[in-house]
Amino acid sequence: MTTDTFPPLRNDLILRAARGEATERAPVWVMRQAGRYLPEFREVRKDHEFFEVCRTPALATKITLQPIQRYTGLVDASIIFSDILVIPQAMGMEVLMNPGPQFPDPLVTPADVSKLREVVNVQKELGYVFDAITQTRNELKGEVPLIGFCGAPWTLFAYMIEGGGSKTLQKAKTWLFKYPEESKALLLRIADVCVDFLVGQVKAGAQLLQVFDSWAGELSPHDFSIFSYPTLLHISTSVRRRLAAENLHSTPIILFAKGANHALGFLAKNAGYDVLGLDWMIDPAEARRVVGDSVALQGNMDPNVLYGGKDAIEAAVKRMSEGFREGKGGWIANLGHGITPGVDPEDLRWFFECIHKYSHQS
Ligand SMILES: Cc1c2[nH]c(c1CCC(=O)O)Cc1[nH]c(c(CCC(=O)O)c1C)Cc1[nH]c(c(CCC(=O)O)c1C)Cc1[nH]c(c(C)c1CCC(=O)O)C2
């Protein structure tokens, strides 16, 4: 084990829950917790483009810390401010954000893969994320752990081919079904970059990792097992092997495969992740029954409950807490997807307070 030089950690609740311990209360954070619902975030964004913020460690650090400062003592993890689309950029693609992601030159046919960098030097291309992580770890002063992340290969592949968001993923699916071998090869190429990127984030100071497969639910169970699952397994095994080989702490890894609840039992047994993130389409107690006590669970309140007012939030948190506490195993409280821009920050505060109140282990 390496001993690092960062300030000592004062709140390890999320690390214990991720390792499967039933904690005295559930640790809580929310996806996109540093985002547009915060006036202090919008203030920084007035003067800086989205990817400029990602590429400037001082700005990324400042924004990562915003929810930690606003909700001191209520939130149990920070997540580095960045985006899943920095990997396509590192592979040589141009990505704009206006206001959603847009690729001026997406991959149209497999011949376009030759436009990607053959060898991706992650340190060179994404060293700014590593610098932001190191700076954030220092400025957190051990208050809460710092989460690093990447997009899953299938979700990134879909963006690289669609050229942005899409309702049907028709272009990405054309690739899967017309060029399955070329698709698998590209998916594995992306996965290798993910591995380097995640290992680099741990070296830089990330204490937990999350892989976002936001579009997993667009695939049938069969296609998920053919096109996404092998890359997710490749990432978990390779990251763990590399961390062990380099004598680094074995960091818990969270997989958020949105919409792939059909695969929960299989993923719990086989995918090699410590925590499975859940969207809100599955009942907490049912999810716990399906996975047994082999993994911790994270989630899963519908983010739109935050628009329902304090009573609705309290009732949903109480119900969710009872569900997750039915079985054994760790639980990290979160939303079932990212918080959206219209939420009143005081309603998020209330969500955190309700988690503190209702998630106690009896
Ligand atoms: C699919 C995806 C993306 N990015 C991400 C995903 C996976 C999670 C998910 O499914 O939501 C992940 C992401 N994006 C961002 C983070 C930072 C950490 C966090 O607070 O969670 C993380 C973890 C910042 C961001 N990434 C983005 C913003 C808002 C952009 C802005 O400031 O104008 C933030 C705070 C932009 C972004 N980035 C992306 C989209 C589709 C958009 C635009 C639409 C939207 O805002 O939801 C791609």
Side-chain angles (χ1 to χ4, degrees):
M1 291 286 153
T2 51
T3 47
D4 57 44
T5 53
F6 294 114
L9 184 61
R10 286 176 278 141
N11 173 351
D12 68 348
L13 207 54
I14 192 171
L15 299 179
R16 287 191 277 129
R19 292 192 199 103
E21 292 175 31
T23 47
E24 52 277 22
R25 71 165 170 82
V28 60
W29 67 285
V30 303
M31 291 181 273
R32 293 282 171 95
Q33 66 187 14
R36 282 171 296 177
Y37 75 100
L38 286 179
E40 56 270 37
F41 173 86
R42 296 195 299 268
E43 201 50 43
V44 176
R45 283 279 285 109
K46 267 191 200 153
D47 302 325
H48 304 280
E49 292 294 340
F50 177 76
F51 284 114
E52 178 198 344
V53 178
C54 296
R55 290 194 185 109
T56 312
L59 290 176
T61 298
K62 180 177 176 174
I63 289 185
T64 302
L65 294 177
Q66 284 178 344
I68 309 304
Q69 286 156 350
R70 182 183 270 262
Y71 303 112
T72 308
L74 285 174
V75 61
D76 299 297
S78 54
I79 178 162
I80 191 65
F81 186 81
S82 181
D83 199 82
I84 63 167
L85 301 175
V86 299
I87 285 188
Q89 288 174 332
M91 295 179 81
M93 297 187 79
E94 189 186 350
V95 187
L96 310 170
M97 196 63 80
N98 59 357
Q102 195 202 327
F103 291 63
D105 194 11
L107 305 177
V108 179
T109 71
D112 291 336
V113 170
S114 65
K115 295 189 211 163
L116 300 177
R117 286 194 180 97
E118 208 143 333
V119 178
V120 179
N121 180 338
V122 168
Q123 178 61 48
K124 174 166 168 264
E125 303 299 333
L126 297 175
Y128 63 83
V129 179
F130 304 152
D131 293 344
I133 286 176
T134 304
Q135 186 173 343
T136 302
R137 256 307 280 282
N138 280 319
E139 293 193 21
L140 273 167
K141 300 195 169 67
E143 191 167 328
V144 292
L146 177 60
I147 304 172
F149 70 91
C150 73
W154 155 244
T155 293
L156 296 176
F157 170 97
Y159 273 108
M160 289 159 73
I161 290 166
E162 295 290 337
S166 156
K167 284 214 163 65
T168 59
L169 299 191
Q170 183 183 315
K171 295 176 184 141
K173 288 189 178 182
T174 300
W175 271 61
L176 297 188
F177 303 128
K178 200 170 188 175
Y179 318 116
E181 293 315 314
E182 291 88 342
S183 294
K184 287 179 197 166
L186 176 54
L187 285 159
L188 277 178
R189 242 172 104 169
I190 301 169
D192 279 329
V193 183
C194 292
V195 171
D196 284 349
F197 187 39
L198 291 174
V199 171
Q201 292 186 64
V202 174
K203 282 188 192 165
Q207 291 148 295
L208 227 103
L209 297 170
Q210 175 157 324
V211 177
F212 286 89
D213 205 356
S214 304
W215 287 357
E218 299 301 316
L219 296 173
S220 72
H222 174 77
D223 294 325
F224 177 77
S225 76
I226 303 277
F227 295 111
S228 183
Y229 170 70
T231 67
L232 298 172
L233 178 65
H234 178 74
I235 290 173
S236 65
T237 32
S238 307
V239 168
R240 288 188 203 289
R241 192 186 320 118
R242 290 264 301 276
L243 292 179
E246 302 195 36
N247 262 349
L248 291 157
H249 284 284
S250 114
T251 310
I253 318 180
I254 305 166
L255 170 63
F256 177 56
K258 185 173 183 298
N261 293 330
H262 56 80
L264 280 180
F266 179 83
L267 291 172
K269 272 206 200 73
N270 302 293
Y273 289 80
D274 304 275
V275 185
L276 295 180
L278 305 173
D279 61 31
W280 61 96
M281 302 308 281
I282 187 161
D283 193 59
E286 168 68 10
R288 180 48 79 192
R289 270 194 298 279
V290 170
V291 303
D293 60 7
S294 58
V295 291
L297 293 172
Q298 173 173 282
N300 75 339
M301 192 178 85
D302 181 343
N304 293 300
V305 175
L306 294 173
Y307 293 108
K310 289 201 158 54
D311 290 350
I313 294 168
E314 182 164 4
V317 169
K318 184 165 183 289
R319 204 172 337 105
M320 169 169 78
S321 300
E322 288 163 0
F324 278 113
R325 287 312 191 199
E326 258 181 45
K328 275 204 284 187
W331 171 41
I332 299 166
N334 204 313
L335 304 175
H337 200 188
I339 187 170
T340 49
V343 170
D344 179 341
E346 285 307 300
D347 286 330
L348 180 62
R349 179 186 302 282
W350 180 243
F351 171 75
F352 288 142
E353 286 171 349
C354 289
I355 295 288
H356 282 239
K357 179 170 172 194
Y358 289 106
S359 71
H360 282 275
Q361 188 73 300
S362 49

